[in-house]
Amino acid sequence: MSEKSDRESVDRDEQLTVVHVVRHGEVHNPDGVLYGRRPGYHLSDLGRKMADRVAEHLEKRDITHVVASPLERAQETAAPVAKAHGLDLATDARLIEAANVFEGKTFGVGDGALRKPDNWKHLTNPFKPSWGEPYIEQVVRMMGAIDAARDAARGHEAVCVSHQLPIWILRSFVERRRLWHDPRKRQCTLASLTSFTYRGDKIVSVGYSEPARDLVPVHLLAGAKPVKGKGAKGQSKAFGA
C-alpha cells in the first residue's frame, strides 16, 4: 500500500461524521388510532411548525444528506431541512415505523385495551415483542440506515427522519440498554434529535436535543402521564408513533 493510501486510510478512520435521527412532528390523528405504517397520516398544522423549527435548528449545520422514512409524516418533517440546505430528499424504507398488530386500532395507555380478551394472544411476550416487529429486527435495519447515511455524508452531517419506537430501540442498542422497556419513558419526543457521532465507522457518542420542545403538548413529553377524561380522545396514544 502506498504512503498516500496509508494516509487516506488513517484520515478516514479519524474522520468525524454526525447522523441526526429525527422523530417526525405531530400528526393529524383526530380519532386517536395507532396509525403505524398506514398511509394517509400527515403532519398537523402544529407538526409543520415543529418541522420548520427542526430546519431552523439545523440551518447552520454542515448537513450534506437528508433521508426519511417513506411515510408521509416523515417525508413532510424532512422536507424543510432538505430545502434549507438545497438538497434532494432521499427515502430509505429501513427508517419506517415498526410493524404492529394493533395498527388501525385505538390501543394505548388507559383505554382498556389490555382487558380485551381478543388482544391477550398478542401480549404474551413483551421481550420480543409478541405484538409487533421484533426489536432485534428494528436494530438491524436502523443500524443499516444510519450507517448508509454516514457513508453518504462522510466528514459532514446527515439527517434521517424516522419514528419513535425504532429510534428509541436504536439508541438503546447503541447505549447497551435492554431493548424491552416502558413506552411512557422513551426519551424521544416529537421533532426531537437523537444524534450519533461517528469517528470513522464507529459510533463514539450519542446526543439528544428537543428544538421544538415548547411546541410539544405536555402530555406527549417523555414520562408524562396519559391524559384521561372527556375531550382527551387519542391523547394517550402518544407512544409508538
Side-chain angles (χ1 to χ4, degrees), residues 42-228:
H42 298 266
L43 294 182
S44 65
D45 290 340
L46 179 60
R48 293 182 185 279
K49 291 180 181 178
M50 292 177 181
D52 289 340
R53 179 70 64 81
V54 171
E56 292 170 8
H57 178 73
L58 294 172
E59 186 176 10
K60 295 183 179 180
R61 305 291 299 220
D62 184 22
I63 307 296
T64 62
H65 181 66
V66 182
V67 61
S69 154
L71 296 173
E72 293 96 335
R73 56 193 185 270
Q75 295 277 315
E76 291 164 1
T77 301
V81 179
K83 181 179 180 180
H85 291 273
L87 299 170
D88 291 332
L89 174 57
T91 299
D92 190 331
R94 292 173 294 188
L95 294 170
I96 200 167
E97 174 63 290
N100 192 306
V101 297
F102 298 110
E103 194 174 288
K105 300 180 181 179
T106 54
F107 183 88
V109 178
D111 69 356
L114 296 180
R115 295 192 295 271
K116 298 176 182 177
D118 287 348
N119 291 335
W120 294 349
K121 63 180 178 292
H122 301 300
L123 302 173
T124 57
N125 185 356
F127 307 107
K128 186 178 179 180
S130 53
W131 55 83
E133 182 183 7
Y135 293 138
I136 193 60
E137 291 182 12
Q138 295 179 51
V139 168
V140 171
R141 64 177 174 85
M142 289 294 287
M143 283 299 303
I146 68 168
D147 283 351
R150 172 207 62 204
D151 290 342
R154 287 271 182 189
H156 304 279
E157 300 183 30
V159 171
C160 299
V161 181
S162 187
H163 307 266
Q164 187 192 55
L165 178 55
I167 296 172
W168 182 248
I169 291 301
L170 171 65
R171 179 179 173 185
S172 296
F173 174 78
V174 170
E175 296 183 332
R176 299 188 178 186
R177 288 193 302 274
R178 69 188 187 201
L179 300 184
W180 60 275
H181 60 282
D182 182 343
R184 298 166 298 180
K185 297 182 179 179
R186 295 172 188 158
Q187 189 184 39
C188 187
T189 197
L190 292 166
S192 62
L193 282 69
T194 302
S195 302
F196 300 87
T197 298
Y198 287 82
R199 184 180 298 278
D201 291 342
K202 183 180 180 181
I203 295 174
V204 293
S205 68
V206 180
Y208 177 77
S209 58
E210 298 177 350
R213 184 180 177 86
D214 61 304
L215 299 177
V216 179
V218 174
H219 70 276
L220 295 182
L221 294 172
K225 295 181 179 179
V227 176
K228 299 179 181 179

